[in-house]
Amino acid sequence: MSTTSHPPLPKSIIIVGSGVFGLSTALSLSKRASFSPSEITLIDRSPFPSPDGSSIDTSRIIRADYADPAYASLAAAGQEIWRQQEANQLGGEGRYSESGLVLVSNKGSDNEIYVQKSFHNVLDINKGTENEGSVKELPSRREIEETVGTRGGSGDWGYSNTRSGWADAEAGMLFLRRQVEALKRVEFLTAEVASLVFSGSNTTGVRFKNNSTISADLVILATGAWTPTLIDLRGRAQASGQVLSYLPISDAEQERLGKMPVLLNMSSGMFIIPPKNNLLKVARHNYGYSNPISIPNPEGEGQIKVSVPRTALSDPNLWIPHEGEAACRQALREMIPSLGDRPFTKTKICWYTDTPTGDFIITYHPSYSNLFLATGGSGHGYKFLPVIGDKIVDCIEGRTPEEFKEKWAWRKEAVQNVLTADGSRGGRPGMLLEEELKKGSKL
Ligand SMILES: Cc1cc2nc3c(=O)[nH]c(=O)nc-3n(C[C@H](O)[C@H](O)[C@H](O)COP(=O)(O)OP(=O)(O)OC[C@H]3O[C@@H](n4cnc5c(N)ncnc54)[C@H](O)[C@@H]3O)c2cc1C
Ligand SMILES: *[C@@H]1O[C@H](CO)[C@@H](O)[C@H](O)[C@H]1NC(C)=O
Ligand SMILES: *[C@@H]1O[C@H](CO)[C@@H](O)[C@H](O)[C@H]1NC(C)=O
Ligand SMILES: *[C@@H]1O[C@H](CO)[C@@H](O)[C@H](O)[C@H]1NC(C)=O
Ligand SMILES: *[C@@H]1O[C@H](CO)[C@@H](O)[C@H](O)[C@H]1NC(C)=O
């Protein structure tokens, strides 16, 4: 660990944010003997489950298919837990489905490299095990379409991995919340944190909107895409808005498509996860939109400009920009032609907490003592729900796993513009939500 002081044993801990990062941290702190004397308070601005939190949705892809071996193996460890299918376990009662994943790109596109590296990593993970045959190259569009089985497809090179799948994201979070509640160690508080409270370079607690404060020996910030409004993360993390579109399907379609694999086109970022409860989702993983606005500098005087999430919570009629809906429409036509013209009945902008490399930020703040950051999900954090809390608490205790020491650290150099360059993103960088909405949207 760096020299920034962390109390050997905080008597009181505040966690701000009850998404995957904050809630899994609460569970791990509750279980760990070294923290048994600590009071733990978990604060979220919304009642659980937060309607606009990034961890709450119909589905999230669960894959160890990463170009980076460290994340590939942590994800594989998480998947072992997702796979436990008994009713009283995380993966039970339909919370996890191992539908398989078809990961494709267009030959010659920048993102082909990501897909190739990922292909080799998952081959390695399974080598010499009984699962050796679960990963299969799909060398052309014909093989891709045969594997997807929807009479559609995408891309012209890729592979399938039958040992990847998807989770019912909200159900997984509800399960995690019940685990935390059962241990009776955490006090839950529904309140919006307006700012952190500093005393010189020490962090002493949090302040609410009504100006009242509560103090703690350790404050853990896990506020996802909102984190840059509570601490200055310019050049290190930034909220980027991603489009999601939903459409209803019939019982017969649910029956048929419920068995399809997850299909992800890394060249365009478009993906479809198998539907559940007669609802199908089409979404995009790319550079996304930013929403820069001026806010009071969370660390001092004046204003700073940061991308702030805009969601249906403050803007109930928010519908995605026409540009994003058109991309979802094109993907649907290509991937599931039989549904190509069915209208979307709901859309949503979900906010990533992007970092320049796609690495998480799990570290003490370099300048303020007693402040710990657990954020920077970069659009791929959900799958780590069963394992990330333990890693975060290891980092709090100064035992960051070797392979993540550099990756999860506070970046020394701020970048000019945060655009996640982990090889998985495509699309047009630098789109502004406001500008795209002005060009047209349903409403
Ligand atoms: C569209 C989309 C698709 C994704 N797909 C995948 C996928 O397929 N697979 C995968 O592994 N990952 C995926 N991810 C990424 C994953 O969902 C995120 O990395 C993860 O959920 C982030 O969790 P979090 O705890 O950081 O943030 P959140 O879940 O957003 O939690 C932050 C919480 O902080 C609260 N909060 C914010 N501000 C305040 C405040 N001032 N005071 C109090 N509380 C506050 C919010 O209410 C919220 O509940 C996707 C993300 C999105 C948006
Ligand atoms: C201020 O808000 C906090 C959080 O909602 C609450 O716990 C506290 O009682 C409020 N204080 C006053 C004086 O209203
Ligand atoms: C920092 O603040 C916390 C909370 O008030 C307190 O417990 C701790 O002793 C302070 N540390 C220093 C170095 O002042
Ligand atoms: C909170 O304190 C600030 C600065 O002291 C003051 O301007 C504001 O009116 C106060 N707000 C409330 C709700 O008391
Ligand atoms: C997959 O990406 C390529 C390259 O951007 C694009 O030509 C193709 O249409 C994409 N497919 C879908 C379904 O978006």
Side-chain angles (χ1 to χ4, degrees):
M1 274 315 298
S2 67
T3 49
T4 32
S5 57
H6 50 92
L9 206 160
K11 284 200 221 53
S12 50
I13 302 173
I14 290 173
I15 304 169
V16 194
S18 186
V20 162
F21 282 74
L23 194 56
S24 66
T25 302
L27 179 64
S28 298
L29 286 172
S30 301
K31 283 178 167 172
R32 208 165 285 201
S34 45
F35 289 93
S36 57
S38 307
E39 266 174 43
I40 308 164
T41 307
L42 177 56
I43 305 173
D44 201 287
R45 64 179 191 145
S46 292
F48 193 82
S50 158
D52 63 350
S54 305
S55 307
I56 307 297
D57 192 13
T58 51
S59 52
R60 287 283 178 266
I61 303 173
I62 308 294
R63 57 175 167 111
D65 305 69
Y66 271 85
D68 180 305
Y71 289 101
S73 79
L74 186 59
Q79 251 187 314
E80 290 302 318
I81 301 170
W82 281 112
R83 284 197 186 103
Q84 296 168 5
Q85 297 280 303
E86 291 76 26
N88 63 348
Q89 285 172 317
L90 178 61
E93 297 175 322
R95 285 179 287 265
Y96 174 66
S97 310
E98 201 147 273
S99 59
L101 165 71
V102 171
L103 189 60
V104 302
S105 65
N106 280 53
K107 273 187 196 132
S109 75
D110 292 347
N111 310 73
E112 188 189 358
I113 299 158
Y114 186 100
V115 181
Q116 280 172 350
K117 283 190 183 163
S118 171
F119 176 52
H120 290 292
N121 279 335
V122 286
L123 279 179
D124 280 352
I125 286 174
N126 294 321
K127 194 179 259 161
T129 73
E130 57 184 342
N131 307 313
E132 190 130 21
S134 55
V135 179
K136 207 174 102 212
E137 185 177 357
L138 304 171
S140 76
R141 180 60 170 255
R142 190 174 58 84
E143 279 93 347
I144 290 168
E145 294 199 358
E146 277 169 15
T147 307
V148 174
T150 57
R151 303 195 168 168
S154 193
D156 54 18
W157 182 84
Y159 71 88
S160 78
N161 180 355
T162 57
R163 288 182 53 82
S164 292
W166 61 278
D168 179 330
E170 177 167 340
M173 288 297 291
L174 287 166
F175 182 86
L176 180 61
R177 167 86 179 203
R178 286 196 297 273
Q179 283 183 297
V180 178
E181 286 172 353
L183 295 173
K184 296 192 164 66
R185 288 289 325 283
V186 174
E187 190 194 330
F188 298 95
L189 196 59
T190 302
E192 182 166 338
V193 168
S195 65
L196 298 173
V197 184
F198 301 113
S199 163
S201 65
N202 191 16
T203 314
T204 58
V206 299
R207 174 173 285 116
F208 299 110
K209 276 188 153 169
N210 62 9
N211 278 349
S212 79
T213 62
I214 54 173
S215 68
D217 298 330
L218 176 64
V219 176
I220 301 170
L221 260 194
T223 35
W226 291 268
T227 312
T229 65
L230 293 170
I231 194 82
D232 189 352
L233 290 174
R234 283 173 298 171
R236 296 189 168 87
Q238 175 171 303
S240 81
Q242 306 285 335
V243 296
L244 305 165
S245 304
Y246 303 82
L247 65 154
I249 58 172
S250 69
D251 289 343
E253 288 160 342
Q254 171 64 48
E255 177 63 22
R256 188 161 50 82
L257 297 169
K259 296 183 193 109
M260 75 177 278
V262 174
L263 174 57
L264 167 57
N265 178 347
M266 273 298 181
S267 295
S268 59
M270 300 308 303
F271 65 94
I272 290 186
I273 298 177
K276 186 172 173 178
N277 300 334
N278 299 47
L279 193 64
L280 181 80
K281 174 174 101 179
V282 185
R284 182 171 69 185
H285 166 82
N286 76 354
Y287 292 118
Y289 308 118
S290 73
N291 186 40
I293 59 174
S294 277
I295 59 160
N297 183 346
E299 293 176 35
E301 304 294 301
Q303 304 272 117
I304 62 172
K305 207 169 208 183
V306 301
S307 176
V308 177
R310 179 166 161 189
T311 72
L313 200 60
S314 56
D315 195 351
N317 293 323
L318 186 63
W319 189 271
I320 59 175
H322 191 265
E323 171 280 330
E325 188 173 350
C328 292
R329 175 61 57 201
Q330 194 208 329
L332 184 60
R333 287 199 175 118
E334 208 175 301
M335 294 177 173
I336 310 179
S338 63
L339 298 178
D341 293 319
R342 189 166 309 170
F344 297 123
T345 49
K346 182 185 150 187
T347 67
K348 188 161 104 173
I349 302 178
C350 174
W351 293 84
Y352 286 0
T353 317
D354 274 336
T355 66
T357 52
D359 289 307
F360 305 153
I361 301 174
I362 303 180
T363 183
Y364 284 94
H365 194 281
S367 324
Y368 299 105
S369 47
N370 304 325
L371 176 59
F372 192 87
L373 302 169
T375 188
S378 301
H380 66 100
Y382 186 87
K383 65 183 68 62
F384 300 101
L385 180 151
V387 290
I388 198 69
D390 276 341
K391 298 295 168 201
I392 291 169
V393 176
D394 286 347
C395 296
I396 291 172
E397 291 186 326
R399 295 187 286 112
T400 305
E402 202 53 48
E403 67 277 25
F404 288 113
K405 269 192 175 148
E406 230 169 87
K407 294 181 195 292
W408 292 351
W410 180 266
R411 278 182 81 84
K412 288 197 185 67
E413 306 286 327
V415 299
Q416 193 52 256
N417 221 332
V418 178
L419 277 179
T420 300
D422 64 353
S424 78
R425 306 292 177 93
R428 187 148 54 89
M431 277 192 289
L432 299 172
L433 178 59
E434 201 57 46
E435 235 169 60
E436 294 306 322
L437 282 172
K438 274 193 201 130
K439 286 184 202 161
S441 142
K442 190 178 177 185
L443 292 178

